[in-house]
Amino acid sequence: MKFFYNILFKDNPVFILMLGLCPTLAITTSVLNGLGMGAAFTFVLIGSNVLVSLMRRFTPPQIRIPVFITIIATFVTITDLLMSAYTPDLHHALGIFIPLIVVNCIILARAEAFASKNNVLASFWDGLQKGIAYTFALLLIGSIREILGSGALLGHSVLGPNYLPMLIMVLPPGAFFVMGLLLAVFPKKNAL
């Protein structure tokens, strides 16, 4: 339990480090969107971590960042094409935020800070952990926004037929309200 607590709450890149907020706030109008973006993000993070780790001894320090971005862009392109082919509705819902995974600071930071200094297995595990934490954040925000914004979760009524949906929750301000409330309850890193 402590292991999962650390991954999901104590070291969550969204709630603790406040990284990757643009897609987090933009696409979490539903659980399905959050799950789709989380899966895409996790695939890219694991793939780029593994490849950066494999190439770390062959990459000159002077060009490491462009190499990392090229590796990340390759996995994002694969993800974008696969989602376009197999989940076109989700691909359309996520829109520009799929290609923007290339510049997600969490992925580049993990490539630079972890994968470029560690072996393949450790880099894979790091990518999986951070991907799960990011997906958890998206699912949590998406669930709250979907339930309050429509009274349903994944198309199933949760709050009953008499519930008056809070439309603001599926609009951009709703993302900020939910994020603010969650930040208030998440554990904080020790102050400097």
Side-chain angles (χ1 to χ4, degrees):
M1 291 306 289
K2 185 177 181 181
F3 173 75
F4 287 109
Y5 173 80
N6 287 340
I7 291 173
L8 299 179
F9 296 100
K10 189 176 175 196
D11 294 326
N12 192 300
V14 174
F15 297 124
I16 303 302
L17 301 174
M18 302 294 293
L19 296 174
L21 291 182
C22 183
T24 299
L25 297 175
I27 60 95
T28 55
T29 55
S30 72
V31 171
L32 190 58
N33 288 357
L35 186 59
M37 179 58 86
F41 176 90
T42 303
F43 172 75
V44 172
L45 184 58
I46 290 172
S48 60
N49 265 13
V50 167
L51 198 52
V52 165
S53 179
L54 285 170
M55 296 180 63
R56 72 182 192 272
R57 290 192 173 94
F58 309 108
T59 306
Q62 302 86 345
I63 62 165
R64 73 182 187 286
I65 299 299
V67 169
F68 296 167
I69 291 176
T70 303
I71 290 169
I72 294 166
T74 301
F75 283 101
V76 169
T77 302
I78 292 168
T79 302
D80 191 36
L81 293 172
L82 287 172
M83 287 182 83
S84 177
Y86 294 106
T87 58
D89 292 338
L90 182 60
H91 183 263
H92 180 70
L94 298 179
I96 190 66
F97 293 102
I98 297 169
L100 285 177
I101 293 173
V102 172
V103 293
N104 190 305
C105 51
I106 299 170
I107 295 177
L108 185 58
R110 297 320 298 164
E112 173 67 18
F114 194 88
S116 65
K117 297 173 179 68
N118 290 284
N119 65 41
V120 174
L121 185 59
S123 297
F124 172 86
W125 187 242
D126 176 71
L128 182 62
Q129 288 178 354
K130 295 301 180 202
I132 289 170
Y134 187 78
T135 304
F136 170 75
L138 295 178
L139 290 175
L140 183 59
I141 295 168
S143 297
I144 294 169
R145 290 181 69 193
E146 186 174 352
I147 290 169
L148 295 178
S150 68
L153 186 64
L154 295 171
H156 302 293
S157 179
V158 175
L159 300 178
N162 295 331
Y163 176 72
L164 293 173
M166 298 171 63
L167 183 59
I168 196 166
M169 285 306 186
V170 294
L171 297 172
F176 288 101
F177 292 144
V178 172
M179 187 68 173
L181 291 172
L182 289 173
L183 289 175
V185 299
F186 262 74
K188 309 295 179 271
K189 288 276 188 183
N190 293 334
L192 296 176

